[in-house]
Amino acid sequence: MDPALIGTRLASSALGPLIRKLFVQDGPGAGLTGRRVRLSRLVSFRGEKRTLTERDVRGLAARLVADALAVPGEPPFPPDEAEAVAHALARTLLALGDLDMDDVQAVRLGHRELAGRLRDAAPADDGLSTDASLFLESLTEWACLLVLEFFTQRSSFVARTLVEHSRTQAELIAKVDALIARTPRPFAADAAFERRYHAYVTKRQGSLTIYGIDLHDSPDVWPLDGTYLSLEATAPRAAELTGDMPPGAVREAVDAVLAHRAPTGPRPADQALARHDRVLLRGVAGSGKTTLVQWLALSASRGALGDDRMAYLGDRVPFVLPLRTLTRHGERLPAPDRFLTAVGCPLTPPDGWADRVLAAGRGLLLIDGIDEIPEPERDRTRRWLRELLTAYDGGNRWLVTSRPSAVRDDWLAPEGFTELTLSPMSRTEVTAFVRRWHTAAGPDAASYQQPLLDALRTKPDLARLATNPLMCGLICALHRDRRGFLPRGRKSLYDAALDMLLARRDRERDMGDPTGVDLGGAPQVRLIQRLAYWLTVNGRTEMDRARARSIVLDRIPAVPDAAAAGNPDAVFQHLLQRSGLLREPGPDTVDFVHRTFQDYLAAKAIVDEWHIGVLTEHAGDDQWEDVIRMAVAHARPRECAEIFTELLAAADAAPDRRTRLRVLFVATAALEHATELDPEIRRALLDRTDRLIPPRSVEEARELATVGPLVLDLLPGPDDLDDEQARMAVITATHVPSDAALPYLARFATHRHLPVRSQLIWAWSRFDPAAYAEEIVTRLPQERLDFTITEDRQVEELVRLGLRPERLDVRGTVSDGRLATLLGHCDPTELTLERPGPAPALSALSSLGRLRRLTVHLPAEASWSLSAVPGDAPLRRIEMRPPPGTGLGELLRHPTLEWVGLLQDGALPAGDWEVLSALPQVRVVHCRLDPLESAPAPVRLPRVTQLFLEHRAAGMALERVAAVFPGLERLFLIAPGGSADLAPLAALPRLKTVATAGMKLTGTGHLPGVDIVG
C-alpha cells in the first residue's frame, strides 16, 4: 500500500501530532555548542528529557493500527493480525532511539531511506501475512515523512543546515584548490603560451628588409611599427540598389553590392579586416602584400600597446601561413595543430591550443601567396581552406593574398570572401615613402631626398616605375648609391640593383672578404640565376638548402671565376651570406629576398641558354608574366623577334579565350622592353591585340591595363563604343598608372552612361588630385553621380574649383577637419559616410539641412547616435552599419523616412522594432536575417512592400518574413551559395517578385503567381 494511500486513510492532521509525541521540543538556536545532538537524545522515550515510556510508544502504535482498521471500506489487513501489527510497528518506532545520526543527516537520507534504516534496526516481523507486511511497510514510510517534516520545522534545523552547507562547501573548495594545484590548468597554460607567442611574432614580423639601405653604417632592416606605410585597396564597382529597379537588373545589383563586397573606392588596406571577416587581397609583385601580412600580425601581437587604428585586432591570435613554405615539398596542408610547426616556429603550444583559439573565434589567419604555388595545387588549397572555414566558421578573420591574375574573379566568393585589390601608390604615397626611406637611411642620405622627389615629379618614365614599395625602395637605394644618377627603364634598374648588391656593397663598406671568397658580380649572377631557373620551372619560391647547394656546386665548374675561388662550399656560403639576393627564411630553406629578383634572373637564364620553348609553354601561366617581360628585355633583336613569333603562335593555339587573351596581353606588355623589333612583328601583334579591344569584362580590362601606357593608343574613343564597351575602356585606362591616361579619360567626362562617369570619379585617387580635377572632375555632369572623396587634397580641389556636388561618398581617410569643410561647402542631399575609430566624430552632420539620403559605415565597435542629424532634414533613406548603440529612437524625428537599412549581425532590441513599426512612411527595409528572427511576435510592419534580406550562413529560414512584413510585394534574398525554402512565403498575398543571386531554392511550387528572378 502506497504511503499516500495510508495518509488518506489516516488523515495527517490526526497522525502528525501522534508522531511528534515521539520527540522532545528543543529551544531556539542553531545547536552549535557541544557535540552534535543525535536522534537517540531527541526521542521522547530516551535520555534526560524523557516524556514517554516504552509502554506509551506501544500504546501509540496500537492506536495507529486501530484507527486504520476503523476507516470505512475494506480493511488493509486481516483484523485478527491487529495485535501482531501493532507490536511490530512499536518495535520499529522504538528503533528511532538506536539510529546513530542527527536530524540533518536524517533529512538528507529521505523518508524511504530512513524507513529502511528503521526496519533494519528493528527485530524481524515473523508470521505476518503479505497484506499486513505491506501495511506495516507503508505506514512506516508515512510515519517517516512526518518525522522528517517535524525535523525541518525545528527552530535549530535551518541554522544547522546552513552551517553544514557552509562547512561542506569550504571542504569542497579546499579539495578543489588542492586538485588545481596538482593539475595544470589548460586555460592558464594557454594564456602563458600566448604571451610567449605574441612576443615571438612581434620580433619575427617586426622588421622590414630595405633593399640597398645597408650601405656603410646603415642597418639591414627597418623597424616596421614606426615606418609602415598604409597602402590603399579597392573593391569592384557595383550597381546601385533602388526600390523600383526592374527584375532583370536585380541579379547584378544583389550579387555585386551585397554579397560581402566592400563599398567601392580606395580604403586603407590594413583596415580591410575591420569591416570584413574574410578578404581575398590581390596585388602585383612588390605591391606590399607580404608587408601587409607582417603589419597585421604585428598589430595583433602588440595588442593594446599598438596603433589605435589597429585596435580591432587587439584580441586576435595571428597565424602567418605563407603557402610557399607550407607546400615546398608538395606535402598536405597542415591542420591547426601543425600551423606553427609547418612555418618553422620553434615554440611548442599546449595540446589543442590552436583548436581552442579558432573554436573561440579569436584567430587571425593570414594566408599569403596563392600565386606562389603551382596552379594545380591551388584547387587543393581552396579545398583545405573550405575545410578550415567549415570547422571554424564564427568570429575568426581571414586574409588570403594573391597576384591579380593568379585566380579568377569570385574565386572565394562562395565562401563569403570580399575581393580587394591593392592600388598602385599615389604620388602622395610615393612622396611619403621616399621621405621615410631617407629618414631610415640616416643623415648621410638626407641630401638625396629632395633631388629624388624632384626627379619623380619631372621624369614620367621614372615616376611610372615608382608604383609599389619594392620599386620605390630600389629607386631610393640606387639614387643614393649612384649619387643622384639613375638608370632608365626597368631592366637597367634591376641591372644596377644587382651590381650594387653583388659587387659594390662589401667593397664600399670596406669589409674585404668576410667569407674568404672574392667573387665579382657576373659570376655570382651566373650561379644564382640557376637557382632562379629551377624555382621558376618548378613553380616554387622556396627550396631545400641541400638542393640549392647541389645546384650551385654542379654549376661552379662551368664558371671559371667561381671554380678558381677555392672551396665550392665556401662559394655557396658566400652567395647565401653576402649576395643580398638570397636568404634563409627558416631551417634548411633558401629563397630570394623578393620574387621579382627570382623572375628577373630566371628570365636571364632562359635567354642565356635559349630555352625559348619553356617560355611559350608557360605563356598562359600567371607566374610567368614578369619572366616573359624580362626575357624580352634580356634578348637581342633576333631573339626578341623569335620570342614574339612564338608567343603569337601560342596565342593561336590556346585552348580557350581566357588563355589566348592572357598570352596576347603579356606579349603586348612586353613590347616596351624590346629595344629593337622587326616592325612587321610589332604590327602583327598590335593588330591581333586590337581585335580584342575593347575588353569584354572587368577581368579582361584589368589584364589589358598591365600592358601599360601603350594600351592607350589601342583603345578607341567614346564615339566608337556602346555604353558597356565605354565602361570597359575607361576601367582599362584608369588602371594604367600614368598621367598619360588623363587626355584619354577626359574624352569620356561627359558620357551619357552613369557607370562610365562613376568609374571616372572613383579613379580620381589614382592620379594627381589637382591635374585630374582640372582635366576631368570639373567636366563631369553631377546629376545622379556620387563623388567619392578619399583624401584631403581632393577636398581642397573641390573648394578651390568651386564644385559643390550634391551626392558625396566620403571615406575614412578624410580628416575630421576636411570633412567639416567639405560638408559645409557642399551641403549635400545624399551622403555616404565612413569614419574610423570606436568614437567617430559625426558633429559635421549637424549642418546638413537638405539631406535626403544618409548611409553610415562605422567600425563594429563604434559608439554613436543619430542625434547629430538635423531633425528638420527631409531624410527619406537611411542605412546604418552598425545601428546606433543608443537605439533607433532618433528616427522618429524623421517621419518622411521611406527606406531603412540595418546592416548588423545579432539581435535587434524589441524597442527598435517598435520604432520601425511606428515610422509612417517606411516602404523598404534592408536587414540581415539575425535581426529579423529576433523581432518580437507582436511586431508587424504592414506598410513595407520591399525587403532586402541578407544572410551569411548556408540555410535561410524565411518563416518570420510573412509574420513581420504581411504586405510584402518584392523580396531580395542575398546569401551567395546558400539555400532557402520559399514555401513560407505563400502566406504573403501581395508578393510579386522574389530575387536571388546564386542561391539554391526549394518550395517554388508554393508561389505559382510569383516571378522568381535568380
Side-chain angles (χ1 to χ4, degrees):
M1 183 178 293
D2 189 272
L5 183 57
I6 294 293
T8 302
R9 296 178 67 92
L10 301 174
S12 62
S13 60
L15 185 58
L18 296 177
I19 296 298
R20 282 195 290 273
K21 287 183 179 182
L22 296 170
F23 298 94
V24 298
Q25 300 292 327
D26 281 349
L32 302 180
T33 59
R35 296 178 300 169
R36 289 185 174 182
V37 181
R38 319 305 291 178
L39 291 188
S40 60
R41 298 183 61 195
L42 292 175
V43 294
S44 58
F45 51 85
R46 296 274 293 270
E48 69 275 7
K49 296 182 179 181
R50 185 167 52 196
T51 58
L52 293 181
T53 65
E54 183 176 334
R55 181 177 178 181
D56 294 329
V57 174
R58 293 183 183 279
L60 178 62
R63 180 178 173 184
L64 290 174
V65 172
D67 288 348
L69 289 173
V71 175
E74 181 182 357
F77 57 88
D80 59 357
E81 291 187 88
E83 184 177 352
V85 171
H87 180 67
L89 178 60
R91 286 185 299 177
T92 301
L93 294 177
L94 288 170
L96 283 168
D98 298 324
L99 295 181
D100 186 22
M101 65 177 68
D102 58 26
D103 53 353
V104 175
Q105 292 170 329
V107 171
R108 190 180 300 134
L109 284 177
H111 73 279
R112 287 192 175 88
E113 181 68 20
L114 180 60
R117 295 285 183 94
L118 287 176
R119 286 192 292 268
D120 292 341
D125 302 320
D126 296 331
L128 292 180
S129 66
T130 301
D131 287 343
S133 296
L134 289 174
F135 172 80
L136 179 62
E137 181 179 340
S138 298
L139 186 58
T140 302
E141 289 188 9
W142 180 255
C144 286
L145 274 174
L146 295 174
V147 167
L148 298 185
E149 182 184 13
F150 168 75
F151 286 161
T152 60
Q153 293 174 351
R154 295 178 65 237
S155 60
S156 62
F157 177 82
V158 174
R160 282 283 310 275
T161 303
L162 290 175
V163 171
E164 289 291 331
H165 287 175
S166 298
R167 288 173 177 169
T168 303
Q169 188 177 34
E171 292 175 0
L172 181 62
I173 291 173
K175 292 176 180 178
V176 171
D177 287 343
L179 180 63
I180 290 175
R182 292 195 302 268
T183 307
R185 290 168 287 175
F187 294 108
D190 285 359
F193 173 76
E194 284 180 22
R195 286 192 292 271
R196 294 180 60 212
Y197 179 66
H198 284 312
Y200 168 80
V201 172
T202 299
K203 293 180 180 178
R204 175 74 181 270
Q205 306 295 340
S207 59
L208 181 68
T209 299
I210 306 302
Y211 303 108
I213 201 173
D214 53 347
L215 302 176
H216 306 296
D217 298 321
S218 299
D220 291 340
V221 293
W222 197 352
L224 186 61
D225 58 349
T227 51
Y228 174 76
L229 178 65
S230 178
L231 301 179
E232 292 184 336
T234 59
R237 187 133 194 123
E240 178 184 354
L241 279 172
T242 61
D244 56 353
M245 60 169 43
V250 170
R251 181 182 179 88
E252 179 184 357
V254 170
D255 186 36
V257 176
L258 301 174
H260 312 295
R261 294 190 181 184
T264 57
R267 66 187 59 254
D270 58 12
Q271 296 296 300
L273 290 176
R275 182 178 299 277
H276 307 284
D277 292 339
R278 304 173 183 180
V279 172
L280 171 60
L281 183 69
R282 301 175 188 264
V284 300
S287 59
K289 300 186 295 296
T290 300
T291 303
L292 174 64
V293 165
Q294 286 185 248
W295 175 245
L296 294 174
L298 177 65
S299 299
S301 290
R302 292 185 309 176
L305 300 178
D307 185 349
D308 289 343
R309 294 174 59 256
M310 307 304 295
Y312 74 95
L313 295 177
D315 61 341
R316 299 285 164 176
V317 177
F319 296 95
V320 180
L321 303 173
L323 289 172
R324 60 185 176 274
T325 300
L326 301 183
T327 63
R328 189 170 74 242
H329 301 295
E331 57 265 65
R332 289 187 60 184
L333 290 160
D337 62 343
R338 292 187 54 248
F339 278 176
L340 302 193
T341 304
V343 297
C345 176
L347 303 181
T348 302
D351 289 343
W353 168 75
D355 175 75
R356 289 190 291 273
V357 168
L358 297 178
R362 299 173 51 233
L364 173 64
L365 291 100
L366 305 168
I367 302 167
D368 189 26
I370 288 288
D371 58 286
E372 295 184 353
I373 59 177
E375 190 165 357
E377 295 183 13
R378 294 174 192 170
D379 283 338
R380 178 168 66 93
T381 301
R382 182 166 56 175
R383 289 193 298 271
W384 167 73
L385 184 57
R386 283 174 175 168
E387 290 298 322
L388 289 175
L389 290 166
T390 300
Y392 306 104
D393 184 36
N396 299 300
R397 299 179 190 253
W398 309 72
L399 177 75
V400 179
T401 71
S402 172
R403 288 195 188 186
S405 56
V407 292
R408 67 176 187 274
D409 284 352
D410 298 330
W411 191 63
L412 290 175
E415 285 70 44
F417 276 75
T418 297
E419 292 197 7
L420 301 175
T421 300
L422 281 174
S423 304
M425 294 173 69
S426 66
R427 290 190 177 185
T428 301
E429 290 167 337
V430 170
T431 299
F433 184 98
V434 170
R435 295 187 188 282
R436 293 185 182 191
W437 191 98
H438 286 83
T439 299
D444 291 344
S447 61
Y448 296 101
Q449 175 180 297
Q450 193 57 47
L452 178 57
L453 291 174
D454 293 340
L456 288 168
R457 279 194 295 268
T458 58
K459 297 180 178 179
D461 57 336
L462 181 62
R464 193 154 53 87
L465 292 173
T467 58
N468 62 60
L470 171 67
M471 296 304 295
C472 281
L474 283 178
I475 289 171
C476 291
L478 288 169
H479 184 263
R480 172 188 162 184
D481 180 58
R482 295 185 164 216
R483 293 172 173 77
F485 295 95
L486 281 171
R488 301 183 61 178
R490 188 174 175 187
K491 178 182 179 298
S492 299
L493 199 66
Y494 283 129
D495 286 339
L498 292 178
D499 178 64
M500 176 182 68
L501 293 172
L502 296 174
R504 300 179 58 189
R505 184 178 66 165
D506 286 347
R507 183 170 66 250
E508 295 198 9
R509 295 176 72 176
D510 296 325
M511 294 192 65
D513 301 324
T515 62
V517 174
D518 184 11
L519 199 59
Q524 290 186 72
V525 168
R526 301 291 297 180
L527 296 174
I528 294 175
Q529 72 185 37
R530 294 302 304 173
L531 301 177
Y533 179 83
W534 188 94
L535 288 169
T536 302
V537 168
N538 287 279
R540 304 290 178 186
T541 56
E542 289 186 356
M543 64 169 61
D544 293 342
R545 192 180 193 277
R547 184 179 296 276
R549 176 181 176 276
S550 175
I551 292 172
V552 170
L553 266 57
D554 286 348
R555 192 66 178 175
I556 284 177
V559 182
D561 287 353
N567 184 353
D569 278 311
V571 172
F572 174 66
Q573 197 65 28
H574 174 83
L575 297 179
L576 285 181
Q577 295 180 4
R578 305 307 313 157
S579 71
L581 292 175
L582 301 174
R583 63 176 184 173
E584 296 181 88
D588 194 36
T589 304
V590 174
D591 70 356
F592 279 82
V593 293
H594 198 279
R595 172 69 180 272
T596 301
F597 289 116
Q598 176 185 319
D599 291 343
Y600 177 83
L601 291 172
K604 187 175 186 305
I606 288 170
V607 172
D608 285 350
E609 301 183 24
W610 200 233
H611 289 176
I612 187 173
V614 177
L615 282 181
T616 54
E617 179 183 347
H618 294 87
D621 188 338
D622 62 272
Q623 291 194 6
W624 285 71
E625 291 178 7
D626 281 350
V627 178
I628 293 172
R629 295 185 189 190
M630 290 297 97
V632 170
H634 286 296
R636 292 170 295 186
R638 188 171 60 182
E639 294 168 339
C640 271
E642 187 172 347
I643 290 175
F644 283 112
T645 301
E646 292 296 324
L647 288 174
L648 286 173
D652 292 338
D656 53 66
R657 173 180 169 82
R658 183 174 183 272
T659 304
R660 182 165 60 256
L661 288 174
R662 180 184 295 278
V663 175
L664 286 174
F665 289 161
V666 169
T668 307
L671 278 176
E672 67 173 317
H673 301 291
T675 55
E676 181 180 335
L677 184 63
D678 186 331
E680 292 297 324
I681 295 177
R682 179 185 292 270
R683 188 177 302 109
L685 177 58
L686 294 180
D687 288 346
R688 193 79 57 85
T689 306
D690 190 50
R691 291 198 292 270
L692 300 172
I693 294 175
R696 299 182 185 179
S697 67
V698 173
E699 181 183 11
E700 289 184 12
R702 290 174 180 162
E703 286 191 18
L704 185 58
T706 62
V707 172
L710 176 65
V711 76
L712 299 171
D713 296 329
L714 305 176
L715 291 171
D719 296 338
D720 301 321
L721 304 171
D722 62 28
D723 290 348
E724 186 60 17
Q725 289 174 335
R727 187 171 77 94
M728 293 299 111
V730 169
I731 289 175
T732 302
T734 54
H735 281 78
V736 175
S738 170
D739 284 349
L742 296 187
Y744 177 79
L745 293 172
R747 300 165 64 187
F748 292 82
T750 58
H751 200 279
R752 64 181 180 275
H753 193 41
L754 178 62
V756 171
R757 288 181 279 124
S758 296
Q759 179 69 24
L760 288 172
I761 195 64
W762 169 81
W764 189 359
S765 62
R766 289 179 173 268
F767 300 90
D768 177 70
Y772 198 91
E774 292 178 356
E775 293 194 43
I776 296 169
V777 177
T778 56
R779 301 175 55 193
L780 288 170
Q782 297 184 13
E783 182 183 3
R784 298 176 56 211
L785 182 63
D786 286 332
F787 275 62
T788 302
I789 309 299
T790 64
E791 56 178 292
D792 288 356
R793 289 186 61 192
Q794 292 174 333
V795 176
E796 296 166 4
E797 290 304 314
L798 287 178
V799 174
R800 181 178 69 85
L801 297 172
L803 299 176
R804 290 181 170 83
E806 294 192 341
R807 297 172 56 137
L808 291 176
D809 179 2
V810 186
R811 299 310 168 106
T813 45
V814 176
S815 67
D816 291 338
R818 286 294 183 264
L819 172 65
T821 299
L822 177 65
L823 298 186
H825 174 73
C826 297
D827 192 14
T829 59
E830 301 189 19
L831 174 64
T832 297
L833 183 63
E834 177 186 273
R835 304 311 295 157
L842 302 177
S843 58
L845 298 177
S846 60
S847 64
L848 304 182
R850 301 192 305 152
L851 194 62
R852 294 197 304 266
R853 173 180 173 180
L854 175 64
T855 301
V856 180
H857 294 296
L858 305 174
E861 69 278 6
S863 174
W864 70 288
S865 77
L866 287 163
S867 59
V869 181
D872 58 352
L875 205 59
R876 294 188 177 182
R877 176 170 174 173
I878 186 167
E879 296 206 45
M880 301 164 284
R881 180 168 56 190
T886 56
L888 301 181
E890 296 284 347
L891 292 182
L892 295 175
R893 299 187 302 143
H894 303 282
T896 55
L897 275 172
E898 299 173 355
W899 180 312
V900 176
L902 302 168
L903 302 181
Q904 71 164 37
D905 295 317
L908 188 67
D912 288 348
W913 280 109
E914 293 174 3
V915 170
L916 291 178
S917 64
L919 293 170
Q921 301 296 326
V922 171
R923 299 291 183 268
V924 183
V925 170
H926 175 193
C927 69
R928 291 180 177 154
L929 185 61
D930 290 346
L932 175 59
E933 291 182 333
S934 71
V939 169
R940 289 164 58 88
L941 282 72
R943 292 182 294 272
V944 172
T945 59
Q946 299 184 68
L947 173 65
F948 294 88
L949 188 61
E950 295 187 51
H951 193 43
R952 295 191 178 187
M956 205 169 190
L958 303 178
E959 285 76 11
R960 294 291 290 149
V961 172
V964 179
F965 305 104
L968 203 62
E969 297 178 6
R970 307 181 75 186
L971 175 63
F972 301 81
L973 300 178
I974 305 100
S979 61
D981 179 9
L982 302 186
L985 303 180
L988 295 170
R990 299 171 58 187
L991 188 64
K992 300 176 182 177
T993 303
V994 175
T996 70
M999 294 180 63
K1000 180 181 179 181
L1001 303 178
T1002 59
T1004 56
H1006 294 271
L1007 307 175
V1010 177
D1011 292 332
I1012 309 296
V1013 182

